[in-house]
Amino acid sequence: DAKTTQPPSMDCAEGRAANLPCNHSTISGNEYVYWYRQIHSQGPQYIIHGLKNNETNEMASLIITEDRKSSTLILPHATLRDTAVYYCIATTSYGNKLVFGAGTILRVKS
Amino acid sequence: NAGVMQNPRHLVRRRGQEARLRCSPMKGHSHVYWYRQLPEEGLKFMVYLQKENIIDESGMPKERFSAEFPKEGPSILRIQQVVRGDSAAYFCASSAGTGDHGYTFGSGTRLTVV
């Protein structure tokens, strides 16, 4: 699995967009970028994944650079309930374990 | 459709006792993954199982820990002769395997060894 690098923490004002960066400069062609989050010791929650195209779902958007060396998770209108640790993981799809790094602690403030 | 069910939610064991943690995957999922999260630390992979087979146990401690996923019933993570350092949250995730993206995690079992 490719190594990912994320800032240790970020703050975001409630109602504003939260943009969480992730560097994965050694990602290989068959590795996807996955984002999960963990809210206060609950089980991790899947957010979104992508291979090379930008993706959007009801929770977030994922922007992957053309060279695939980095990506950004966007929470369009952050709420206090989005305060969590966000993990960016690069790995091949299905049947492969997820390896979690330290992630980014996102604090949404009112 | 129920999610990944883990029980018990909280488990207290005295040093030297055995701990058995259960994980029922989502319906239709045949792949199970166990993770451990020590207090104030990140999630560490322990073991990956498919029905009746251990696929990857590279994260399992060499002694006292074992896991199984029988043909019928939940996956079991078993810790023998628990020590205080085993106190942690243990999470289980499941997937359908081939072609499946987005693993589903359970709410975890908090093990406290006293």
Side-chain angles (χ1 to χ4, degrees), chain A residues 90-106:
Chain A
T91 187
T92 55
S93 66
Y94 59 82
N96 198 18
K97 62 182 185 281
L98 298 173
V99 178
F100 290 83
T104 295
I105 299 171
L106 175 68

Side-chain angles (χ1 to χ4, degrees), chain A residues 32 34 36 46 49 92-96, chain B residues 28-31 33 48 50 94-103:
Chain A
Y32 288 73
Y34 290 84
Y36 283 77
Y46 166 81
H49 76 276
T92 55
S93 66
Y94 59 82
N96 198 18
Chain B
H29 284 190
S30 59
H31 297 240
Y33 312 78
Y48 161 33
Q50 293 181 26
S94 75
S95 77
T98 302
D100 186 29
H101 294 277
Y103 300 62

Side-chain angles (χ1 to χ4, degrees), chain A residues 20 22 24 32-37 44-51 53-64 71-76 86-91 98 100, chain B residues 101-103:
Chain A
L20 292 91
C22 179
H24 33 79
Y32 288 73
V33 178
Y34 290 84
W35 283 84
Y36 283 77
R37 71 180 181 183
Q45 177 188 24
Y46 166 81
I47 301 173
I48 199 167
H49 76 276
L51 183 61
N53 297 322
N54 297 338
E55 302 288 345
T56 295
N57 62 21
E58 65 279 2
M59 289 183 67
S61 294
L62 174 60
I63 308 299
I64 302 174
S71 61
T72 301
L73 177 75
I74 301 172
L75 307 178
Y86 287 77
Y87 299 98
C88 169
I89 300 167
T91 187
L98 298 173
F100 290 83
Chain B
H101 294 277
Y103 300 62

